[in-house]
PDB file of all heavy atoms in Angstrom:
ATOM      1  N   ALA A   1     -65.046-118.508 -67.833  1.00 57.00           N
ATOM      2  CA  ALA A   1     -63.959-117.610 -67.285  1.00 57.00           C
ATOM      3  C   ALA A   1     -63.529-116.722 -68.367  1.00 57.00           C
ATOM      4  O   ALA A   1     -63.411-117.111 -69.530  1.00 57.00           O
ATOM      5  CB  ALA A   1     -62.807-118.476 -66.829  1.00 57.00           C
ATOM      6  N   THR A   2     -63.372-115.432 -68.050  1.00 58.00           N
ATOM      7  CA  THR A   2     -62.927-114.414 -68.967  1.00 58.00           C
ATOM      8  C   THR A   2     -61.601-113.832 -68.414  1.00 58.00           C
ATOM      9  O   THR A   2     -61.559-113.484 -67.241  1.00 58.00           O
ATOM     10  CB  THR A   2     -63.948-113.273 -69.161  1.00 58.00           C
ATOM     11  OG1 THR A   2     -65.177-113.845 -69.593  1.00 58.00           O
ATOM     12  CG2 THR A   2     -63.534-112.261 -70.125  1.00 58.00           C
ATOM     13  N   SER A   3     -60.615-113.745 -69.334  1.00 61.00           N
ATOM     14  CA  SER A   3     -59.359-113.178 -68.820  1.00 61.00           C
ATOM     15  C   SER A   3     -58.763-112.273 -69.888  1.00 61.00           C
ATOM     16  O   SER A   3     -59.006-112.398 -71.060  1.00 61.00           O
ATOM     17  CB  SER A   3     -58.305-114.323 -68.554  1.00 61.00           C
ATOM     18  OG  SER A   3     -57.105-113.749 -68.207  1.00 61.00           O
ATOM     19  N   CYS A   4     -58.057-111.239 -69.432  1.00 62.00           N
ATOM     20  CA  CYS A   4     -57.421-110.336 -70.316  1.00 62.00           C
ATOM     21  C   CYS A   4     -55.924-110.324 -70.114  1.00 62.00           C
ATOM     22  O   CYS A   4     -55.431-110.209 -68.993  1.00 62.00           O
ATOM     23  CB  CYS A   4     -57.984-108.916 -70.072  1.00 62.00           C
ATOM     24  SG  CYS A   4     -57.135-107.602 -70.979  1.00 62.00           S
ATOM     25  N   SER A   5     -55.102-110.501 -71.191  1.00 60.00           N
ATOM     26  CA  SER A   5     -53.702-110.437 -71.065  1.00 60.00           C
ATOM     27  C   SER A   5     -53.118-109.253 -71.807  1.00 60.00           C
ATOM     28  O   SER A   5     -51.909-109.111 -72.008  1.00 60.00           O
ATOM     29  CB  SER A   5     -53.083-111.759 -71.620  1.00 60.00           C
ATOM     30  OG  SER A   5     -53.399-111.867 -72.954  1.00 60.00           O
ATOM     31  N   TRP A   6     -54.034-108.315 -72.302  1.00 54.00           N
ATOM     32  CA  TRP A   6     -53.586-107.250 -73.144  1.00 54.00           C
ATOM     33  C   TRP A   6     -53.045-106.041 -72.299  1.00 54.00           C
ATOM     34  O   TRP A   6     -53.202-106.038 -71.035  1.00 54.00           O
ATOM     35  CB  TRP A   6     -54.746-106.717 -73.987  1.00 54.00           C
ATOM     36  CG  TRP A   6     -55.382-107.798 -74.810  1.00 54.00           C
ATOM     37  CD1 TRP A   6     -54.768-108.568 -75.741  1.00 54.00           C
ATOM     38  CD2 TRP A   6     -56.805-108.071 -74.932  1.00 54.00           C
ATOM     39  NE1 TRP A   6     -55.711-109.379 -76.372  1.00 54.00           N
ATOM     40  CE2 TRP A   6     -56.922-109.078 -75.885  1.00 54.00           C
ATOM     41  CE3 TRP A   6     -57.917-107.635 -74.232  1.00 54.00           C
ATOM     42  CZ2 TRP A   6     -58.156-109.704 -76.169  1.00 54.00           C
ATOM     43  CZ3 TRP A   6     -59.145-108.169 -74.565  1.00 54.00           C
ATOM     44  CH2 TRP A   6     -59.264-109.204 -75.558  1.00 54.00           C
ATOM     45  N   ASP A   7     -52.627-105.056 -73.028  1.00 65.00           N
ATOM     46  CA  ASP A   7     -52.313-103.717 -72.397  1.00 65.00           C
ATOM     47  C   ASP A   7     -53.658-103.056 -72.154  1.00 65.00           C
ATOM     48  O   ASP A   7     -54.302-102.588 -73.101  1.00 65.00           O
ATOM     49  CB  ASP A   7     -51.462-102.829 -73.286  1.00 65.00           C
ATOM     50  CG  ASP A   7     -50.168-103.551 -73.741  1.00 65.00           C
ATOM     51  OD1 ASP A   7     -49.214-103.539 -72.899  1.00 65.00           O
ATOM     52  OD2 ASP A   7     -50.109-104.006 -74.845  1.00 65.00           O
ATOM     53  N   LEU A   8     -54.079-103.025 -70.921  1.00 55.00           N
ATOM     54  CA  LEU A   8     -55.364-102.536 -70.690  1.00 55.00           C
ATOM     55  C   LEU A   8     -55.393-100.969 -70.646  1.00 55.00           C
ATOM     56  O   LEU A   8     -56.357-100.333 -71.075  1.00 55.00           O
ATOM     57  CB  LEU A   8     -55.896-102.985 -69.333  1.00 55.00           C
ATOM     58  CG  LEU A   8     -57.313-102.599 -68.885  1.00 55.00           C
ATOM     59  CD1 LEU A   8     -58.324-103.108 -69.907  1.00 55.00           C
ATOM     60  CD2 LEU A   8     -57.626-103.105 -67.444  1.00 55.00           C
ATOM     61  N   ALA A   9     -54.306-100.335 -70.244  1.00 54.00           N
ATOM     62  CA  ALA A   9     -54.395 -98.864 -70.026  1.00 54.00           C
ATOM     63  C   ALA A   9     -53.699 -98.004 -71.062  1.00 54.00           C
ATOM     64  O   ALA A   9     -54.271 -97.060 -71.562  1.00 54.00           O
ATOM     65  CB  ALA A   9     -53.834 -98.592 -68.589  1.00 54.00           C
ATOM     66  N   PRO A  10     -52.374 -98.184 -71.378  1.00 55.00           N
ATOM     67  CA  PRO A  10     -51.600 -97.070 -72.010  1.00 55.00           C
ATOM     68  C   PRO A  10     -52.053 -96.680 -73.396  1.00 55.00           C
ATOM     69  O   PRO A  10     -51.789 -95.529 -73.796  1.00 55.00           O
ATOM     70  CB  PRO A  10     -50.165 -97.633 -72.035  1.00 55.00           C
ATOM     71  CG  PRO A  10     -50.329 -99.118 -72.027  1.00 55.00           C
ATOM     72  CD  PRO A  10     -51.566 -99.352 -71.160  1.00 55.00           C
ATOM     73  N   HIS A  11     -52.692 -97.545 -74.164  1.00 54.00           N
ATOM     74  CA  HIS A  11     -53.071 -97.234 -75.590  1.00 54.00           C
ATOM     75  C   HIS A  11     -54.568 -96.833 -75.700  1.00 54.00           C
ATOM     76  O   HIS A  11     -55.058 -96.736 -76.808  1.00 54.00           O
ATOM     77  CB  HIS A  11     -52.795 -98.379 -76.466  1.00 54.00           C
ATOM     78  CG  HIS A  11     -51.377 -98.846 -76.451  1.00 54.00           C
ATOM     79  ND1 HIS A  11     -50.369 -97.993 -76.776  1.00 54.00           N
ATOM     80  CD2 HIS A  11     -50.817 -99.971 -76.130  1.00 54.00           C
ATOM     81  CE1 HIS A  11     -49.165 -98.643 -76.671  1.00 54.00           C
ATOM     82  NE2 HIS A  11     -49.411 -99.860 -76.284  1.00 54.00           N
ATOM     83  N   ARG A  12     -55.248 -96.593 -74.594  1.00 54.00           N
ATOM     84  CA  ARG A  12     -56.630 -96.161 -74.573  1.00 54.00           C
ATOM     85  C   ARG A  12     -56.789 -94.652 -74.524  1.00 54.00           C
ATOM     86  O   ARG A  12     -56.018 -93.987 -73.868  1.00 54.00           O
ATOM     87  CB  ARG A  12     -57.360 -96.822 -73.424  1.00 54.00           C
ATOM     88  CG  ARG A  12     -57.395 -98.351 -73.465  1.00 54.00           C
ATOM     89  CD  ARG A  12     -58.136 -98.936 -74.583  1.00 54.00           C
ATOM     90  NE  ARG A  12     -59.540 -98.398 -74.549  1.00 54.00           N
ATOM     91  CZ  ARG A  12     -60.439 -98.648 -75.507  1.00 54.00           C
ATOM     92  NH1 ARG A  12     -60.117 -99.316 -76.578  1.00 54.00           N
ATOM     93  NH2 ARG A  12     -61.653 -98.208 -75.351  1.00 54.00           N
ATOM     94  N   SER A  13     -57.885 -94.158 -75.158  1.00 54.00           N
ATOM     95  CA  SER A  13     -58.130 -92.792 -75.052  1.00 54.00           C
ATOM     96  C   SER A  13     -58.698 -92.415 -73.677  1.00 54.00           C
ATOM     97  O   SER A  13     -58.400 -91.362 -73.123  1.00 54.00           O
ATOM     98  CB  SER A  13     -59.112 -92.311 -76.140  1.00 54.00           C
ATOM     99  OG  SER A  13     -60.278 -93.118 -76.040  1.00 54.00           O
ATOM    100  N   LEU A  14     -59.467 -93.316 -73.107  1.00 51.00           N
ATOM    101  CA  LEU A  14     -60.066 -93.078 -71.837  1.00 51.00           C
ATOM    102  C   LEU A  14     -59.662 -94.240 -70.942  1.00 51.00           C
ATOM    103  O   LEU A  14     -60.393 -95.205 -70.608  1.00 51.00           O
ATOM    104  CB  LEU A  14     -61.595 -93.009 -71.898  1.00 51.00           C
ATOM    105  CG  LEU A  14     -62.117 -91.841 -72.784  1.00 51.00           C
ATOM    106  CD1 LEU A  14     -63.650 -92.002 -72.906  1.00 51.00           C
ATOM    107  CD2 LEU A  14     -61.785 -90.525 -72.180  1.00 51.00           C
ATOM    108  N   THR A  15     -58.471 -94.166 -70.453  1.00 47.00           N
ATOM    109  CA  THR A  15     -57.833 -95.307 -69.692  1.00 47.00           C
ATOM    110  C   THR A  15     -58.526 -95.587 -68.446  1.00 47.00           C
ATOM    111  O   THR A  15     -58.630 -96.731 -67.998  1.00 47.00           O
ATOM    112  CB  THR A  15     -56.405 -95.076 -69.354  1.00 47.00           C
ATOM    113  OG1 THR A  15     -56.273 -93.820 -68.701  1.00 47.00           O
ATOM    114  CG2 THR A  15     -55.579 -95.001 -70.687  1.00 47.00           C
ATOM    115  N   GLY A  16     -59.112 -94.594 -67.798  1.00 45.00           N
ATOM    116  CA  GLY A  16     -59.863 -94.830 -66.566  1.00 45.00           C
ATOM    117  C   GLY A  16     -61.093 -95.686 -66.785  1.00 45.00           C
ATOM    118  O   GLY A  16     -61.404 -96.593 -66.065  1.00 45.00           O
ATOM    119  N   SER A  17     -61.853 -95.341 -67.895  1.00 48.00           N
ATOM    120  CA  SER A  17     -63.034 -96.123 -68.269  1.00 48.00           C
ATOM    121  C   SER A  17     -62.647 -97.610 -68.531  1.00 48.00           C
ATOM    122  O   SER A  17     -63.333 -98.534 -68.158  1.00 48.00           O
ATOM    123  CB  SER A  17     -63.727 -95.529 -69.436  1.00 48.00           C
ATOM    124  OG  SER A  17     -64.117 -94.234 -69.181  1.00 48.00           O
ATOM    125  N   ALA A  18     -61.552 -97.766 -69.255  1.00 48.00           N
ATOM    126  CA  ALA A  18     -61.099 -99.152 -69.554  1.00 48.00           C
ATOM    127  C   ALA A  18     -60.822 -99.979 -68.324  1.00 48.00           C
ATOM    128  O   ALA A  18     -61.227-101.111 -68.192  1.00 48.00           O
ATOM    129  CB  ALA A  18     -59.846 -99.120 -70.552  1.00 48.00           C
ATOM    130  N   SER A  19     -60.014 -99.317 -67.414  1.00 42.00           N
ATOM    131  CA  SER A  19     -59.655-100.136 -66.260  1.00 42.00           C
ATOM    132  C   SER A  19     -60.872-100.381 -65.323  1.00 42.00           C
ATOM    133  O   SER A  19     -60.956-101.412 -64.716  1.00 42.00           O
ATOM    134  CB  SER A  19     -58.536 -99.372 -65.440  1.00 42.00           C
ATOM    135  OG  SER A  19     -58.942 -98.148 -65.007  1.00 42.00           O
ATOM    136  N   TRP A  20     -61.750 -99.482 -65.267  1.00 44.00           N
ATOM    137  CA  TRP A  20     -63.024 -99.617 -64.474  1.00 44.00           C
ATOM    138  C   TRP A  20     -63.876-100.748 -65.029  1.00 44.00           C
ATOM    139  O   TRP A  20     -64.506-101.473 -64.269  1.00 44.00           O
ATOM    140  CB  TRP A  20     -63.767 -98.288 -64.362  1.00 44.00           C
ATOM    141  CG  TRP A  20     -64.431 -98.206 -63.036  1.00 44.00           C
ATOM    142  CD1 TRP A  20     -65.781 -98.125 -62.788  1.00 44.00           C
ATOM    143  CD2 TRP A  20     -63.769 -98.079 -61.707  1.00 44.00           C
ATOM    144  NE1 TRP A  20     -66.087 -98.013 -61.467  1.00 44.00           N
ATOM    145  CE2 TRP A  20     -64.881 -98.007 -60.796  1.00 44.00           C
ATOM    146  CE3 TRP A  20     -62.527 -98.139 -61.275  1.00 44.00           C
ATOM    147  CZ2 TRP A  20     -64.688 -97.886 -59.412  1.00 44.00           C
ATOM    148  CZ3 TRP A  20     -62.256 -98.056 -59.933  1.00 44.00           C
ATOM    149  CH2 TRP A  20     -63.368 -97.922 -59.011  1.00 44.00           C
ATOM    150  N   ALA A  21     -63.959-100.806 -66.324  1.00 44.00           N
ATOM    151  CA  ALA A  21     -64.699-101.952 -66.962  1.00 44.00           C
ATOM    152  C   ALA A  21     -64.055-103.312 -66.575  1.00 44.00           C
ATOM    153  O   ALA A  21     -64.768-104.188 -66.219  1.00 44.00           O
ATOM    154  CB  ALA A  21     -64.666-101.756 -68.480  1.00 44.00           C
ATOM    155  N   GLY A  22     -62.739-103.328 -66.500  1.00 45.00           N
ATOM    156  CA  GLY A  22     -62.075-104.542 -66.100  1.00 45.00           C
ATOM    157  C   GLY A  22     -62.414-104.874 -64.607  1.00 45.00           C
ATOM    158  O   GLY A  22     -62.647-106.012 -64.277  1.00 45.00           O
ATOM    159  N   ARG A  23     -62.421-103.848 -63.797  1.00 48.00           N
ATOM    160  CA  ARG A  23     -62.752-104.072 -62.390  1.00 48.00           C
ATOM    161  C   ARG A  23     -64.127-104.586 -62.231  1.00 48.00           C
ATOM    162  O   ARG A  23     -64.389-105.443 -61.379  1.00 48.00           O
ATOM    163  CB  ARG A  23     -62.543-102.767 -61.645  1.00 48.00           C
ATOM    164  CG  ARG A  23     -62.794-102.919 -60.145  1.00 48.00           C
ATOM    165  CD  ARG A  23     -62.373-101.638 -59.380  1.00 48.00           C
ATOM    166  NE  ARG A  23     -62.589-101.754 -57.933  1.00 48.00           N
ATOM    167  CZ  ARG A  23     -62.227-100.906 -57.065  1.00 48.00           C
ATOM    168  NH1 ARG A  23     -61.575 -99.776 -57.496  1.00 48.00           N
ATOM    169  NH2 ARG A  23     -62.440-101.054 -55.801  1.00 48.00           N
ATOM    170  N   ALA A  24     -65.078-104.089 -62.986  1.00 44.00           N
ATOM    171  CA  ALA A  24     -66.464-104.573 -62.963  1.00 44.00           C
ATOM    172  C   ALA A  24     -66.527-106.050 -63.322  1.00 44.00           C
ATOM    173  O   ALA A  24     -67.229-106.816 -62.759  1.00 44.00           O
ATOM    174  CB  ALA A  24     -67.326-103.759 -63.908  1.00 44.00           C
ATOM    175  N   LEU A  25     -65.720-106.399 -64.375  1.00 41.00           N
ATOM    176  CA  LEU A  25     -65.785-107.823 -64.748  1.00 41.00           C
ATOM    177  C   LEU A  25     -65.129-108.707 -63.682  1.00 41.00           C
ATOM    178  O   LEU A  25     -65.628-109.842 -63.483  1.00 41.00           O
ATOM    179  CB  LEU A  25     -64.918-107.954 -66.000  1.00 41.00           C
ATOM    180  CG  LEU A  25     -64.836-109.327 -66.645  1.00 41.00           C
ATOM    181  CD1 LEU A  25     -66.221-109.905 -66.995  1.00 41.00           C
ATOM    182  CD2 LEU A  25     -63.928-109.294 -67.868  1.00 41.00           C
ATOM    183  N   TRP A  26     -64.146-108.255 -62.985  1.00 38.00           N
ATOM    184  CA  TRP A  26     -63.550-109.064 -61.878  1.00 38.00           C
ATOM    185  C   TRP A  26     -64.663-109.487 -60.884  1.00 38.00           C
ATOM    186  O   TRP A  26     -64.588-110.585 -60.372  1.00 38.00           O
ATOM    187  CB  TRP A  26     -62.552-108.237 -61.199  1.00 38.00           C
ATOM    188  CG  TRP A  26     -61.825-108.870 -60.092  1.00 38.00           C
ATOM    189  CD1 TRP A  26     -62.296-109.089 -58.788  1.00 38.00           C
ATOM    190  CD2 TRP A  26     -60.541-109.516 -60.052  1.00 38.00           C
ATOM    191  NE1 TRP A  26     -61.454-109.752 -58.057  1.00 38.00           N
ATOM    192  CE2 TRP A  26     -60.348-110.002 -58.769  1.00 38.00           C
ATOM    193  CE3 TRP A  26     -59.547-109.674 -61.079  1.00 38.00           C
ATOM    194  CZ2 TRP A  26     -59.167-110.641 -58.445  1.00 38.00           C
ATOM    195  CZ3 TRP A  26     -58.364-110.317 -60.689  1.00 38.00           C
ATOM    196  CH2 TRP A  26     -58.194-110.835 -59.430  1.00 38.00           C
ATOM    197  N   GLY A  27     -65.598-108.662 -60.661  1.00 39.00           N
ATOM    198  CA  GLY A  27     -66.541-108.900 -59.614  1.00 39.00           C
ATOM    199  C   GLY A  27     -67.689-109.915 -59.938  1.00 39.00           C
ATOM    200  O   GLY A  27     -68.481-110.288 -59.100  1.00 39.00           O
ATOM    201  N   THR A  28     -67.796-110.243 -61.224  1.00 35.00           N
ATOM    202  CA  THR A  28     -68.859-111.170 -61.616  1.00 35.00           C
ATOM    203  C   THR A  28     -68.664-112.542 -61.134  1.00 35.00           C
ATOM    204  O   THR A  28     -67.454-112.988 -61.166  1.00 35.00           O
ATOM    205  CB  THR A  28     -69.152-111.060 -63.153  1.00 35.00           C
ATOM    206  OG1 THR A  28     -67.979-111.539 -63.790  1.00 35.00           O
ATOM    207  CG2 THR A  28     -69.504-109.706 -63.588  1.00 35.00           C
ATOM    208  N   PRO A  29     -69.685-113.290 -60.811  1.00 30.00           N
ATOM    209  CA  PRO A  29     -69.360-114.619 -60.163  1.00 30.00           C
ATOM    210  C   PRO A  29     -68.772-115.693 -61.084  1.00 30.00           C
ATOM    211  O   PRO A  29     -68.215-116.654 -60.678  1.00 30.00           O
ATOM    212  CB  PRO A  29     -70.776-115.097 -59.739  1.00 30.00           C
ATOM    213  CG  PRO A  29     -71.727-114.264 -60.596  1.00 30.00           C
ATOM    214  CD  PRO A  29     -71.021-112.972 -60.829  1.00 30.00           C
ATOM    215  N   THR A  30     -68.935-115.551 -62.441  1.00 29.00           N
ATOM    216  CA  THR A  30     -68.488-116.544 -63.304  1.00 29.00           C
ATOM    217  C   THR A  30     -67.268-116.041 -64.204  1.00 29.00           C
ATOM    218  O   THR A  30     -66.931-116.622 -65.243  1.00 29.00           O
ATOM    219  CB  THR A  30     -69.566-117.064 -64.275  1.00 29.00           C
ATOM    220  OG1 THR A  30     -70.080-116.007 -65.027  1.00 29.00           O
ATOM    221  CG2 THR A  30     -70.722-117.668 -63.534  1.00 29.00           C
ATOM    222  N   SER A  31     -66.662-114.963 -63.736  1.00 30.00           N
ATOM    223  CA  SER A  31     -65.627-114.400 -64.569  1.00 30.00           C
ATOM    224  C   SER A  31     -64.394-114.136 -63.726  1.00 30.00           C
ATOM    225  O   SER A  31     -64.404-113.989 -62.448  1.00 30.00           O
ATOM    226  CB  SER A  31     -66.045-113.069 -65.161  1.00 30.00           C
ATOM    227  OG  SER A  31     -67.122-113.195 -66.014  1.00 30.00           O
ATOM    228  N   PHE A  32     -63.269-114.170 -64.370  1.00 31.00           N
ATOM    229  CA  PHE A  32     -61.996-113.875 -63.687  1.00 31.00           C
ATOM    230  C   PHE A  32     -61.198-112.979 -64.644  1.00 31.00           C
ATOM    231  O   PHE A  32     -61.119-113.230 -65.793  1.00 31.00           O
ATOM    232  CB  PHE A  32     -61.205-115.206 -63.395  1.00 31.00           C
ATOM    233  CG  PHE A  32     -60.196-115.008 -62.296  1.00 31.00           C
ATOM    234  CD1 PHE A  32     -60.422-115.361 -61.050  1.00 31.00           C
ATOM    235  CD2 PHE A  32     -58.914-114.470 -62.608  1.00 31.00           C
ATOM    236  CE1 PHE A  32     -59.495-115.272 -60.072  1.00 31.00           C
ATOM    237  CE2 PHE A  32     -57.939-114.318 -61.671  1.00 31.00           C
ATOM    238  CZ  PHE A  32     -58.301-114.683 -60.363  1.00 31.00           C
ATOM    239  N   PHE A  33     -60.714-111.905 -64.098  1.00 34.00           N
ATOM    240  CA  PHE A  33     -60.049-110.900 -64.985  1.00 34.00           C
ATOM    241  C   PHE A  33     -58.595-110.767 -64.499  1.00 34.00           C
ATOM    242  O   PHE A  33     -58.347-110.374 -63.368  1.00 34.00           O
ATOM    243  CB  PHE A  33     -60.748-109.583 -64.857  1.00 34.00           C
ATOM    244  CG  PHE A  33     -60.430-108.647 -65.912  1.00 34.00           C
ATOM    245  CD1 PHE A  33     -61.123-108.559 -67.050  1.00 34.00           C
ATOM    246  CD2 PHE A  33     -59.395-107.755 -65.757  1.00 34.00           C
ATOM    247  CE1 PHE A  33     -60.763-107.597 -68.090  1.00 34.00           C
ATOM    248  CE2 PHE A  33     -59.077-106.801 -66.670  1.00 34.00           C
ATOM    249  CZ  PHE A  33     -59.817-106.715 -67.795  1.00 34.00           C
ATOM    250  N   GLY A  34     -57.675-111.008 -65.408  1.00 38.00           N
ATOM    251  CA  GLY A  34     -56.243-110.869 -65.155  1.00 38.00           C
ATOM    252  C   GLY A  34     -55.655-109.836 -66.126  1.00 38.00           C
ATOM    253  O   GLY A  34     -56.010-109.800 -67.293  1.00 38.00           O
ATOM    254  N   VAL A  35     -54.778-109.032 -65.641  1.00 38.00           N
ATOM    255  CA  VAL A  35     -54.105-108.024 -66.507  1.00 38.00           C
ATOM    256  C   VAL A  35     -52.726-107.770 -66.053  1.00 38.00           C
ATOM    257  O   VAL A  35     -52.361-108.031 -64.907  1.00 38.00           O
ATOM    258  CB  VAL A  35     -54.936-106.715 -66.479  1.00 38.00           C
ATOM    259  CG1 VAL A  35     -54.828-106.066 -65.102  1.00 38.00           C
ATOM    260  CG2 VAL A  35     -54.391-105.741 -67.561  1.00 38.00           C
ATOM    261  N   ARG A  36     -51.817-107.460 -66.959  1.00 41.00           N
ATOM    262  CA  ARG A  36     -50.482-107.174 -66.520  1.00 41.00           C
ATOM    263  C   ARG A  36     -50.436-106.043 -65.562  1.00 41.00           C
ATOM    264  O   ARG A  36     -51.213-105.083 -65.652  1.00 41.00           O
ATOM    265  CB  ARG A  36     -49.645-106.818 -67.749  1.00 41.00           C
ATOM    266  CG  ARG A  36     -49.793-105.359 -68.211  1.00 41.00           C
ATOM    267  CD  ARG A  36     -48.744-105.114 -69.329  1.00 41.00           C
ATOM    268  NE  ARG A  36     -48.509-103.662 -69.335  1.00 41.00           N
ATOM    269  CZ  ARG A  36     -47.746-103.017 -70.217  1.00 41.00           C
ATOM    270  NH1 ARG A  36     -47.195-103.738 -71.127  1.00 41.00           N
ATOM    271  NH2 ARG A  36     -47.662-101.748 -70.224  1.00 41.00           N
ATOM    272  N   ARG A  37     -49.605-106.080 -64.652  1.00 40.00           N
ATOM    273  CA  ARG A  37     -49.538-104.997 -63.591  1.00 40.00           C
ATOM    274  C   ARG A  37     -48.744-103.850 -64.035  1.00 40.00           C
ATOM    275  O   ARG A  37     -48.706-102.748 -63.434  1.00 40.00           O
ATOM    276  CB  ARG A  37     -48.947-105.599 -62.279  1.00 40.00           C
ATOM    277  CG  ARG A  37     -49.872-106.587 -61.631  1.00 40.00           C
ATOM    278  CD  ARG A  37     -49.224-107.215 -60.362  1.00 40.00           C
ATOM    279  NE  ARG A  37     -48.042-108.026 -60.749  1.00 40.00           N
ATOM    280  CZ  ARG A  37     -47.337-108.564 -59.807  1.00 40.00           C
ATOM    281  NH1 ARG A  37     -47.588-108.429 -58.545  1.00 40.00           N
ATOM    282  NH2 ARG A  37     -46.301-109.307 -60.166  1.00 40.00           N
TER     283      ARG A  37
END
């Protein structure tokens, strides 16, 4: 299981890429991705 509790978006130069990477991880069968809303 993989989880993220960090600030995924506001401190990134390319926030769209960062959030899309997280979304890709969510979909893998052995991973779980959590992030603050």
Side-chain angles (χ1 to χ4, degrees):
T2 303
S3 177
C4 173
S5 60
W6 303 307
D7 303 282
L8 184 62
H11 301 302
R12 299 290 304 172
S13 56
L14 300 173
T15 54
S17 299
S19 62
W20 211 244
R23 182 169 181 176
L25 181 59
W26 179 281
T28 60
T30 59
S31 298
F32 200 98
F33 194 90
V35 66
R36 80 172 204 185
R37 291 178 292 178

